[in-house]
Amino acid sequence: MEWLSAENVVAVGTAVLGIVASAGIFWYERRVPRRKRIGYRVQMDNPIGDDVRSGRIGRRLGLFDEAPDMAGATLVLLRIENDGSQGIGRDDYTSPELHGLTAVFTDRIIRGVSVTQPTDSDHLMPHFTPERGFGYAGNTLRIPRVPLNHGEHFKLLVLLSGGDVGREIRIVGGLHDGEVHPNRSATPDDATPLFSRASRLITIMLTLSVLTLATIVVARDDTPPPMGCAKGSLRVIGSTAFAPVMQDAAKKYEKGCAGASITVDAHGSTAGIRELNDAGADAKKGSPSVLALSDGPKPTDMPELKENRVALVVFALVVNDDVPLRNLTTADVRRLYRGEITNWKQLGGPDLQVVLVSRDANSGTRQVFQRRVLKRGEIANSSVDCVHKDDPTAKVIRCELDSTDQVLSQVAQLKGAVGYAELNVAEHAKGLHILSLDANAPSVDAIERGVSPYPYREIEYAYTYGQPSATSLASSFLSYVEKGNGQDVIRSYGHVACYAPATMKLCA
């Protein structure tokens, strides 16, 4: 097991954070809320004079304009509240003076104070007397030892002069087993936050951790690594039609097996088989680390090549969209590729010259077409560019190309063109359509169910030179493709995996 995987790290971190947070909340519930707490906040700090550097213009009438020292006057509203869980008595204040708290207004002089309290807290007002310490001098306001039950508050409206709005206002004082602290408020009567800043931070961190863990679990690839992983390098050569399957399978194998390097270098079935045979003959001993894929069986004169049946591949004839025909008989196809049909109107189509776009002699796709459909070889090549007839004696234009993609591209571009390709690739090509043969459409599903005699299909073989070592990368990768998760890759490309129980007879 990979203990240091991303999901494990996040999971352990989330668990630790949850334990710490739970312990912290337990401590908080047991300790902090039981402390005595007085909170204060400035709910208003406004100018009422002309000389206050606030950036705001005011209008004044009556006393505000006539009273002395009003030129630079400001009004401040302070809210003092018990925001703890316990009541506060007179003896809970720690001040050595008669009063309990001291409010300090920086750079301003106090001119007057008014006390307000909620209608259900009339018992607070008797405490605001000079005998209880209530008074002011200069920039200092003395606040009496006011007893406050949980949730109770009072407000002080203070008239000041000689300074700017927004200057620091602080309240000094202390409580036995408690604290005096500033609160934040955006509006005059906001309640204190339901959750503290620490609680909100812990909640956000836990939520982000859980979401990160969920994302990793959902996004990770749970595909188990291939069984019997092997290290080393391997070349996969041969069929161009089957190359995309092998490239995808190689990437998935390398991802699950560290130390494996697989290169897919496809140049045609015939060329691949010959290269494998030559590499094996040149090797001093053992089997070279090479797999050759072939659309169909190897030649009989290469006895050292060991075959492995990998998949059943279905191919299709394709024709340019300017030819509206959807079905041809096998006999018609043979006449086309013998050069007997030179214009599509001979088959009931439009007045367009026939252009045969074929694969080169190394192509397994071409060999399957000749073996399964034509029952003979194709006629000679008569054009290099598929447009101009290089041989004036040839009945039709016929060209040869190196890959499936080139064939599909030319058929889509040339009016009257016909060619052949792997079915799953041809199905996604634009500018052309697929032909049925003898009213049988190329269908992997129908062939797999055994209800279609469609002829243009073939087994895809994987060849090794001799029998590679059971611990070799060639043997491991071949098992992965034939019997392991590579079967899923084969099916995803529209082929039939030979080793599946339901399809073994098709590959026999």
Side-chain angles (χ1 to χ4, degrees):
M1 181 177 181
E2 190 179 353
W3 291 102
L4 293 179
S5 63
E7 58 267 30
N8 287 346
V9 171
V10 175
V12 172
T14 302
V16 171
L17 182 60
I19 293 172
V20 172
S22 298
I25 292 173
F26 177 78
W27 175 86
Y28 183 85
E29 292 293 336
R30 299 269 304 177
R31 175 72 177 173
V32 175
R34 294 180 181 275
R35 300 180 67 191
K36 299 177 174 66
R37 288 159 52 101
I38 286 182
Y40 67 91
R41 41 185 162 159
V42 178
Q43 294 189 316
M44 182 181 71
D45 189 357
N46 289 338
I48 59 174
D50 287 340
D51 294 340
V52 181
R53 295 188 296 273
S54 66
R56 290 172 285 183
I57 299 175
R59 292 290 184 268
R60 298 177 299 155
L61 291 174
L63 180 63
F64 285 113
D65 191 36
E66 299 170 358
D69 298 322
M70 279 294 180
T74 55
L75 276 177
V76 170
L77 181 65
L78 279 177
R79 175 184 169 114
I80 315 295
E81 56 199 344
N82 180 351
D83 58 1
S85 61
Q86 298 187 31
I88 297 173
R90 287 179 49 81
D91 295 335
D92 289 322
Y93 292 88
T94 60
S95 172
E97 306 293 335
L98 180 61
H99 62 279
L101 303 174
T102 302
V104 180
F105 299 85
T106 304
D107 296 338
R108 285 186 270 188
I109 304 298
I110 301 173
R111 299 299 179 181
V113 181
S114 175
V115 182
T116 66
Q117 81 285 329
T119 55
D120 57 350
S121 302
D122 292 339
H123 60 283
L124 300 181
M125 193 60 70
H127 296 278
F128 290 95
T129 63
E131 294 75 20
R132 297 285 180 94
F134 183 47
Y136 62 87
N139 68 344
T140 302
L141 170 64
R142 298 185 300 276
I143 304 173
R145 299 170 179 261
V146 181
L148 292 170
N149 295 323
H150 168 67
E152 285 186 337
H153 75 275
F154 60 87
K155 296 182 181 181
L156 301 171
L157 183 62
V158 186
L159 175 65
L160 304 113
S161 65
D164 300 333
V165 297
R167 300 291 289 172
E168 181 185 16
I169 301 171
R170 66 184 188 277
I171 292 183
V172 182
L175 298 172
H176 292 292
D177 295 325
E179 63 176 349
V180 177
H181 66 99
N183 282 333
R184 294 183 178 181
S185 176
T187 58
D189 291 306
D190 273 353
T192 54
L194 181 61
F195 298 104
S196 68
R197 183 182 302 179
S199 299
R200 295 195 298 270
L201 181 61
I202 290 173
T203 301
I204 292 172
M205 291 175 64
L206 285 172
T207 302
L208 290 176
S209 298
V210 172
L211 289 176
T212 302
L213 179 60
T215 301
I216 292 174
V217 171
V218 171
R220 70 180 179 181
D221 185 2
D222 287 327
T223 304
M227 297 180 63
C229 283
K231 298 181 179 179
S233 59
L234 173 68
R235 287 183 65 228
V236 179
I237 58 178
S239 170
T240 58
F242 210 67
V245 179
M246 301 309 289
Q247 290 169 345
D248 199 354
K251 289 180 181 178
K252 287 180 168 58
Y253 184 93
E254 289 174 338
K255 184 178 180 180
C257 293
S261 176
I262 303 172
T263 302
V264 179
D265 185 19
H267 295 289
S269 297
T270 301
I273 288 176
R274 288 173 180 169
E275 183 179 346
L276 173 62
N277 193 61
D278 293 342
D282 293 340
K284 294 182 179 180
K285 62 178 181 178
S287 176
S289 189
V290 179
L291 285 180
L293 277 294
S294 175
D295 306 332
K298 65 179 177 63
T300 57
D301 60 347
M302 299 180 182
E304 295 297 329
L305 300 189
K306 303 300 181 183
E307 73 177 32
N308 300 269
R309 302 187 178 202
V310 175
L312 181 67
V313 180
V314 181
F315 302 88
L317 279 165
V318 293
V319 66
N320 183 274
D321 279 339
D322 286 328
V323 180
L325 300 178
R326 297 289 173 174
N327 177 69
L328 292 176
T329 66
T330 303
D332 290 337
V333 175
R334 291 170 182 171
R335 291 172 62 201
L336 270 172
Y337 280 85
R338 287 198 299 264
E340 297 174 4
I341 304 295
T342 61
N343 192 296
W344 286 103
K345 66 182 180 180
Q346 294 174 251
L347 295 176
D351 185 9
L352 288 173
Q353 294 296 315
V354 172
V355 179
L356 303 177
V357 182
S358 299
R359 289 290 305 279
D360 60 87
N362 289 324
S363 167
T365 305
R366 171 178 168 178
Q367 293 172 13
V368 175
F369 180 56
Q370 294 175 158
R371 183 168 58 251
R372 296 287 189 177
V373 181
L374 298 184
K375 304 297 184 181
R376 52 161 288 167
E378 295 189 43
I379 60 176
N381 188 27
S382 64
S383 175
V384 174
D385 60 6
C386 302
V387 177
H388 303 94
K389 189 187 295 184
D390 301 322
D391 180 4
T393 65
K395 297 180 181 180
V396 296
I397 291 177
R398 179 183 175 275
C399 60
E400 295 181 358
L401 301 175
D402 296 333
S403 69
T404 297
D405 289 340
Q406 291 177 0
V407 169
L408 294 174
S409 177
Q410 284 290 355
V411 172
Q413 293 177 27
L414 300 175
K415 294 183 178 182
V418 61
Y420 43 78
E422 190 182 359
L423 174 61
N424 76 308
V425 180
E427 286 176 329
H428 300 94
K430 305 297 183 182
L432 53 81
H433 56 273
I434 294 171
L435 292 172
S436 297
L437 292 178
D438 299 318
N440 293 302
S443 168
V444 173
D445 180 64
I447 292 173
E448 192 171 9
R449 290 187 288 110
V451 296
S452 173
Y454 181 78
Y456 195 8
R457 53 180 170 171
E458 186 56 277
I459 296 170
E460 189 71 27
Y461 292 87
Y463 286 97
T464 60
Y465 189 89
Q467 188 64 43
S469 168
T471 58
S472 67
L473 179 55
S475 179
S476 174
F477 182 64
L478 192 54
S479 295
Y480 172 77
V481 173
E482 283 187 303
K483 307 170 186 178
N485 292 330
Q487 291 187 74
D488 296 333
V489 180
I490 292 173
R491 283 190 288 268
S492 71
Y493 278 84
H495 306 308
V496 179
C498 280
Y499 205 80
T503 57
M504 292 182 68
K505 290 183 179 180
L506 293 173
C507 297

